[in-house]
Amino acid sequence: MQSAAVGLGQLLLALDATLVSLVEAPRGLDLPVSSAALIDSDDVRLGLAAAAGSADVFFLLGVIDGEALGWMAKQASERVPVAIFAKEPSDALVSTAVAAGSAVVAVEPRARWERLYQLVNHVLEHHRDRADSTEYSDTDLFGLAQSLADRIHGMVSIENAQSHVLAYSASNDEADELRRLSILGRAGPPEHLKWLDQWGVFDALRAGDDVVRVAERPELGLRPRLAIGIYQPPASARCAPVFAGTIWVQQGAQPLAEDAEQILRGAAVLAARIMSRLAARPSTHARRVQQLLGLTDQDAATTPTEIAAIADELGLAADGTAVLIGWDFLSATDTGARPARLTDVLALSASAFRRDAQVASKGSRIYVLLPQTTTSRSITSWVRGTIGALRAELGVQLRAAIAAPVVGLAGVAGARVEVDRVLDSAARHPDSIDQVTSLAEARTTVLLDEIVTQVGGRLVDPRVRDLRAREPVLAETLRAYLDSFGDVGVAAHWLQIHPNTVRYRVRRIEKLLSTSLADPDVRLVFSLGLRVLERT
């Protein structure tokens, strides 16, 4: 999927001067960038490098100068890249790229390529004009960091509880060694973290939500800082807030804003909200599985092209048969065993059963898709065993419905709807459907339940309603007689009375209701009416 384009200059600003620096841009900084590709020396030597039209910017990983020049010449003959990123690019590479019209960006030698690649894709996915400091996405920590930096005139970084850098604002030449090394290494350098710990900074951050001041240490190359802890709301009123990370603000030559501490307290609240949203937001993989199952707000993938694209992303075959299992969370004695946690637990069990198992959830429902699978006793046995294990280990009660076989991934969304019908019916009438069932086994029960639900009280024959209210014994006899297809002996056995008693009651019912039970339409209407009244 192609991301929305951003300008090259905007991309470089977002990446930060700590990581990259522009060498030359012969066509300016406004050229759009919407995709990036990584290529290494083996790719170039073996002819496996990405084609010119496959990306706008390229990262050259360990490509020696001669290989890079040959690759650049080939790219220029097809489609000129917007920019190339290289560590310590040679004068020859710069000249060749500039002559072709490509910008050259020098990457800090200590920077990690995978980190840079992740950041570029983040910018392409969550692009915005970073000069606009008045707005930021409610799930974008980078946007929050930049907005905070612009507001209080400092350089901001946001870290998690393990001091891993999650986001940061743009740096300038005043960035100190701690900031540069933290951004380059994605975490605070151990020796610096040790100093901060010895000075009591971390203890102060974990002690409450006050802003902590860190004095300048010229001998260590550290500029003045402000810091504040990020706290997630407690799981319950009896629990304390959870320390989730830190916002650091390094002061440069310009003094920080007078109200910097007040603004920093507000930023900590916003960061906690964003981190909660990010933690709750499904991954791209999970969203693709949800889309395949028709669980997203957008329409389920239905066309062969859409199915093929999702299958390719998930690494699955689009054809063949599959099995879909729907699980319904009923109850738990362990208050921590909620659907969100159960999704992870079921994913572990499903992946152990089948390496290609796909798991998605919505509300109390969890779905396990087993691609390239046909129905078998082993699947039912695994489902029953999993339900038993979760009941024993976590005190969790689950119900499961199995749809099999599902013809191709194109049929998965429809199978999920059928599975939901079974689980919905079982939720209305827990005793009518087994704890583990299949669509075929439950079809009649589900259809009858849905018919009765649709009929509703307003469509019940008033004679049946009156009979049940005034003569409950006769109503019970009528139900047994109808369910026995008019076989007096079977109805008598079910009611534990003499057959003649059944005959007498039937004649009395016909007289009271002024009708004949020999009429099949009458039997149908009365049978449905009795079922509706029993369920209400």
Side-chain angles (χ1 to χ4, degrees):
M1 294 188 176
Q2 192 173 21
S3 305
V6 301
L8 176 59
Q10 183 182 353
L11 175 63
L12 296 179
L13 178 61
L15 292 179
D16 194 77
T18 301
L19 290 174
V20 298
S21 59
L22 179 65
V23 179
E24 292 282 354
R27 293 188 287 167
L29 296 176
D30 295 329
L31 293 177
V33 176
S34 61
S35 57
L38 289 162
I39 60 171
D40 61 23
S41 183
D42 288 340
D43 293 330
V44 175
R45 189 172 61 257
L46 299 176
L48 302 176
S54 65
D56 295 317
V57 297
F58 292 87
F59 300 90
L60 307 185
L61 284 70
V63 181
I64 62 176
D65 210 37
E67 293 172 345
L69 292 174
W71 175 84
M72 188 68 237
K74 181 180 178 182
Q75 296 295 85
S77 67
E78 299 176 11
R79 176 176 176 267
V80 178
V82 172
I84 59 171
F85 288 67
K87 292 185 177 181
E88 300 179 320
S90 68
D91 292 340
L93 177 59
V94 172
S95 299
T96 301
V98 170
S102 290
V104 179
V105 180
V107 178
E108 159 65 41
R110 292 174 293 178
R112 296 170 59 179
W113 281 110
E114 69 273 15
R115 172 61 170 166
L116 184 61
Y117 186 64
Q118 290 171 355
L119 288 173
V120 168
N121 283 310
H122 175 89
V123 174
L124 296 181
E125 185 177 353
H126 302 93
H127 72 97
R128 69 181 190 91
D129 184 0
R130 304 201 85 169
D132 179 6
S133 60
T134 63
E135 298 181 3
Y136 54 86
S137 166
D138 63 356
T139 56
D140 185 7
L141 286 173
F142 277 89
L144 174 61
Q146 188 62 48
S147 297
L148 179 61
D150 294 340
R151 174 63 178 78
I152 64 176
H153 315 308
M155 286 169 279
V156 176
S157 60
I158 301 175
E159 299 178 358
N160 65 12
Q162 292 73 43
S163 297
H164 295 163
V165 178
L166 303 177
Y168 51 84
S169 66
S171 300
N172 55 35
D173 294 338
E174 298 161 359
D176 64 14
E177 191 70 2
L178 173 57
R179 178 176 176 83
R180 285 195 297 270
L181 293 177
S182 296
I183 292 175
L184 287 171
R186 300 181 59 186
E191 62 275 16
H192 288 78
L193 296 180
K194 183 178 179 180
W195 293 331
L196 292 171
D197 188 36
Q198 291 175 349
W199 300 336
V201 174
F202 289 124
D203 288 339
L205 290 171
R206 288 177 167 83
D209 56 0
D210 289 335
V211 175
V212 178
R213 288 186 173 271
V214 181
E216 183 175 16
R217 301 281 179 132
E219 71 280 9
L220 300 176
L222 298 183
R223 302 296 299 270
R225 273 175 170 72
L226 295 182
I228 189 169
I230 302 169
Y231 285 87
Q232 299 283 10
S236 67
R238 293 176 295 178
C239 299
V242 179
F243 178 76
T246 307
I247 300 179
W248 299 92
V249 182
Q250 185 216 307
Q251 180 179 331
Q254 182 181 6
L256 298 179
E258 292 184 1
D259 58 353
E261 293 192 13
Q262 179 182 348
I263 300 300
L264 195 53
R265 292 188 183 93
V269 174
L270 293 178
R273 292 177 186 170
I274 293 173
M275 291 168 71
S276 295
R277 292 190 184 105
L278 289 173
R281 189 173 63 182
S283 66
T284 300
H285 183 99
R287 290 197 298 271
R288 294 294 173 263
V289 178
Q290 289 176 339
Q291 188 178 357
L292 195 63
L293 293 171
L295 295 173
T296 58
D297 293 335
Q298 63 191 100
D299 294 336
T302 55
T303 68
T305 301
E306 292 172 333
I307 296 294
I310 293 178
D312 184 60
E313 284 193 54
L314 298 177
L316 306 176
D319 55 1
T321 58
V323 172
L324 179 67
I325 306 150
W327 312 71
D328 212 349
F329 174 83
L330 303 180
S331 64
T333 56
D334 179 358
T335 57
R338 291 303 169 202
R341 179 185 172 195
L342 284 177
T343 301
D344 294 335
V345 173
L346 274 177
L348 289 173
S349 180
S351 297
F353 181 67
R354 280 288 302 267
R355 293 176 61 87
D356 57 353
Q358 308 294 319
V359 181
S361 63
K362 187 171 186 178
S364 67
R365 299 271 167 86
I366 303 170
Y367 306 89
V368 174
L369 174 65
L370 304 176
Q372 300 295 306
T373 307
T374 57
T375 181
S376 67
R377 292 182 180 179
S378 64
I379 292 175
T380 302
S381 176
W382 170 70
V383 171
R384 292 188 184 279
T386 300
I387 288 178
L390 292 182
R391 181 173 58 245
E393 299 296 332
L394 299 178
V396 173
Q397 292 291 341
L398 293 175
R399 185 187 303 278
I402 303 171
V406 180
V407 181
L409 296 186
V412 170
R416 194 270 308 166
V417 173
E418 295 300 311
V419 164
D420 278 346
R421 289 174 62 190
V422 175
L423 296 176
D424 288 342
S425 180
R428 290 190 292 267
H429 312 289
D431 297 330
S432 63
I433 296 178
D434 291 339
Q435 188 175 23
V436 178
T437 189
S438 66
L439 298 188
E441 293 169 340
R443 194 174 303 281
T444 299
T445 304
V446 171
L447 285 172
L448 181 58
D449 171 54
E450 291 176 343
I451 291 170
V452 169
T453 301
Q454 291 296 319
V455 167
R458 65 186 181 87
L459 296 180
V460 173
D461 190 310
R463 294 173 294 177
V464 176
R465 192 188 302 276
D466 188 58
L467 179 70
R468 193 168 184 274
R470 296 186 179 186
E471 300 283 354
V473 173
L474 292 183
E476 182 186 24
T477 302
L478 177 59
R479 170 68 187 272
Y481 180 76
L482 294 174
D483 286 356
S484 303
F485 301 99
D487 190 319
V488 172
V490 173
H493 178 76
W494 189 80
L495 293 168
Q496 296 295 299
I497 59 176
H498 195 278
N500 285 339
T501 303
V502 175
R503 293 188 183 95
Y504 167 75
R505 290 180 182 178
V506 168
R507 288 195 297 271
R508 190 174 171 204
I509 290 170
E510 289 179 322
K511 184 176 181 180
L512 286 173
L513 302 185
S514 302
T515 190
S516 171
L517 294 179
D519 187 332
D521 291 343
V522 170
R523 292 198 300 271
L524 175 62
V525 170
F526 284 3
S527 181
L528 288 174
L530 286 169
R531 282 172 166 76
V532 170
L533 294 176
E534 287 172 1
R535 296 186 179 190
T536 57

